[in-house]
Amino acid sequence: MGDTVQQFFAVKAKIAAAEQEAGREAGAVTLVAVSKTFDALDIQPVIEAGQRVFGENRVQEAQGKWPALKKAFPDIELHLIGPLQSNKAREAVALFDVIETIDRDKIAAELAKEIARQGRAPKLYVQVNTGSEPQKAGIEPREAVAFVRRCREVHGLAIEGLMCIPPADENPGPHFALLKKMAREAGAAKLSMGMSGDYETAIAFGATSVRVGSAIFGNR
């Protein structure tokens, strides 16, 4: 068994332990294995070990490897977890099953248009910039709940979750707590939060999915 597969099982075990520790149901948290920068040969052993949910940062990179993998394993669920440019909305709707990074009206409008045109409805999350970092994508926290409402009422999008990436140098707990509070206010059931360094903390704060890359695949 290769290192990657061993690391995958180790992450799964830690998720299960964190669920138990937090008094949550077994299987309450979905592992999104972040396969960005890794090619199909690196990813396939993890698929064969039973993983079916993957995350990619870039539409173009995902287009290069996932259509063939999805054909071979039709039950794969692919998440877009990187910033989405409006000119890539068509490709994103065609390829991804979940788009986690809606953060402005222009993207919401483009996605609505493509969903109607393609008759394909990926699950949709709003990304919140909980640390208000200028270099990061995501809607400002004070605008998030109103933006979710606008996505639903103006653009007709069925937003089901919120996503965040806390600042690297801060305790992630308060950011996860803030996202959970906003999700409750916005009536969004899903919380995508927690990465390789802090996913166990995120589970304690109510994450429904965690995005783990380097702890499974190593650093590229």
Side-chain angles (χ1 to χ4, degrees):
M1 187 163 73
D3 280 356
T4 302
V5 172
Q6 275 174 320
Q7 284 156 204
F8 161 65
F9 283 122
V11 167
K12 290 282 283 182
K14 283 182 178 173
I15 289 172
E19 285 173 337
Q20 199 175 3
E21 177 83 9
R24 299 183 60 191
E25 220 174 291
V29 180
T30 299
L31 168 62
V32 180
V34 179
S35 47
K36 62 176 186 180
T37 76
F38 290 91
D39 58 29
L41 285 177
D42 297 312
I43 298 165
Q44 193 141 344
V46 180
I47 299 175
E48 283 163 3
Q51 177 64 10
R52 286 296 180 272
V53 186
F54 291 86
E56 288 283 337
N57 256 35
R58 293 194 172 89
V59 175
Q60 218 160 339
E61 186 196 330
Q63 280 178 310
K65 58 190 172 187
W66 280 104
L69 286 169
K70 285 185 93 175
K71 203 170 176 182
F73 301 93
D75 55 344
I76 275 173
E77 181 178 277
L78 193 58
H79 290 230
L80 179 63
I81 59 170
L84 177 59
Q85 307 305 320
S86 48
N87 63 352
K88 289 277 189 284
R90 176 177 296 195
E91 291 94 329
V93 169
L95 180 60
F96 288 92
D97 304 293
V98 183
I99 295 171
E100 297 199 11
T101 50
I102 301 169
D103 64 355
R104 55 200 188 282
D105 283 281
K106 188 178 180 185
I107 285 291
E110 283 299 320
L111 287 173
K113 199 165 74 181
E114 283 306 322
I115 286 166
R117 201 181 66 84
Q118 296 183 33
R120 194 170 188 274
K123 294 170 184 167
L124 303 172
Y125 292 33
V126 163
Q127 181 174 352
V128 184
N129 185 352
T130 55
S132 297
E133 296 173 278
Q135 78 283 13
K136 250 186 207 161
I139 188 111
E140 283 290 316
R142 64 178 178 276
E143 296 166 29
V145 175
F147 177 63
V148 170
R149 192 176 305 125
R150 218 160 49 241
C151 283
R152 290 173 176 152
E153 293 172 6
V154 177
H155 304 292
L157 297 177
I159 302 293
E160 66 168 49
L162 300 184
M163 179 266 228
C164 75
I165 305 169
D169 55 354
E170 288 184 25
N171 172 3
H175 294 272
F176 297 152
L178 175 63
L179 198 73
K180 185 176 186 173
K181 177 176 173 282
M182 288 186 291
R184 213 170 28 238
E185 286 172 25
K190 304 285 187 178
L191 283 171
S192 171
M193 56 191 198
M195 301 192 290
S196 286
D198 58 17
Y199 65 89
E200 289 156 292
T201 306
I203 291 168
F205 277 94
T208 57
S209 62
V210 293
R211 308 179 305 275
V212 181
S214 56
I216 297 171
F217 294 102
N219 292 312
R220 181 24 75 85

